[in-house]
Amino acid sequence: MEKWLFSIDKIIPLLFGAVFIPLFEFFYGKGEVVIYTMTALAFFNVMDWISGTRSAKKDKTYASKYGIDGVFRSFFILMLPAGGHLMDMISGVHGVFFGILSFGVLYHLIQSMTANSIRAGWGKWVPEWLLVKLTDWVKEEIETKIARSSKRKRELEGE
């Protein structure tokens, strides 16, 4: 019986790694900071999805079309740091544009996630003093989300 260097069940992960890792490093750069930054962006993006879905279901404004648009929004958000890295390579500054875009997006994601969590009613698990500070921080974001939610609710009801 002849043994192959690579069995078929190992070729797919090998090909994935051979393609994905160089693409990731080309678009985002190398190093632990890049990996941790992109992991944080992906983590808070998922948390924003979860809290946004729950708050929309709570106020009965959830629509699959809006959820599908969220996938494209998330893809766009995760590509912004890649554009920053490419701008860093063009301009010869290392990490400046990547950092600006990454942490700008991270700030927005955490703010959006917090506003969605408060709308979903999860604020009762946060100490009151912290909830007051968080609410002040995301006040405009909450008002925007509530206005958009009310508009969608009216549209769903046919007004």
Side-chain angles (χ1 to χ4, degrees):
M1 184 168 169
E2 190 175 332
K3 288 205 174 206
W4 291 89
L5 180 60
F6 300 111
S7 62
I8 296 296
D9 63 329
K10 293 181 182 161
I11 289 177
I12 303 261
L14 289 172
L15 288 174
F16 181 78
V19 171
F20 180 73
I21 298 299
L23 273 175
F24 180 86
E25 288 182 349
F26 173 78
F27 280 114
Y28 297 104
K30 297 177 183 180
E32 284 186 15
V33 172
V34 171
I35 292 170
Y36 292 140
T37 301
M38 294 311 299
T39 302
L41 283 172
F43 175 82
F44 284 109
N45 200 18
V46 169
M47 297 295 284
D48 190 32
W49 278 350
I50 292 168
S51 61
T53 301
R54 296 313 311 155
S55 64
K57 290 206 181 225
K58 181 180 180 190
D59 62 19
K60 296 179 175 66
T61 59
Y62 181 80
S64 59
K65 179 194 174 304
Y66 191 71
I68 291 168
D69 287 345
V71 172
F72 290 104
R73 172 186 163 265
S74 295
F75 180 74
F76 180 82
I77 283 172
L78 293 175
M79 290 304 294
L80 283 172
H85 172 68
L86 295 173
M87 288 172 55
D88 286 338
M89 295 297 96
I90 291 168
S91 63
V93 295
H94 297 286
V96 174
F97 290 109
F98 175 82
I100 290 169
L101 290 173
S102 295
F103 287 93
V105 168
L106 189 58
Y107 179 87
H108 171 74
L109 282 173
I110 292 171
Q111 193 176 40
S112 177
M113 176 202 68
T114 304
N116 285 333
S117 299
I118 291 169
R119 278 183 54 227
W122 299 344
K124 61 185 170 191
W125 292 302
V126 179
E128 186 176 343
W129 65 269
L130 182 58
L131 186 60
V132 169
K133 288 196 179 295
L134 288 173
T135 305
D136 288 344
W137 180 54
V138 297
K139 183 178 181 181
E140 185 177 331
E141 184 77 16
I142 289 174
E143 289 169 356
T144 301
K145 288 178 182 293
I146 289 172
R148 186 173 59 226
S149 170
S150 297
K151 181 182 176 204
R152 280 201 316 256
K153 200 174 211 175
R154 286 192 303 274
E155 288 170 357
L156 289 172
E157 293 171 351
E159 290 181 14

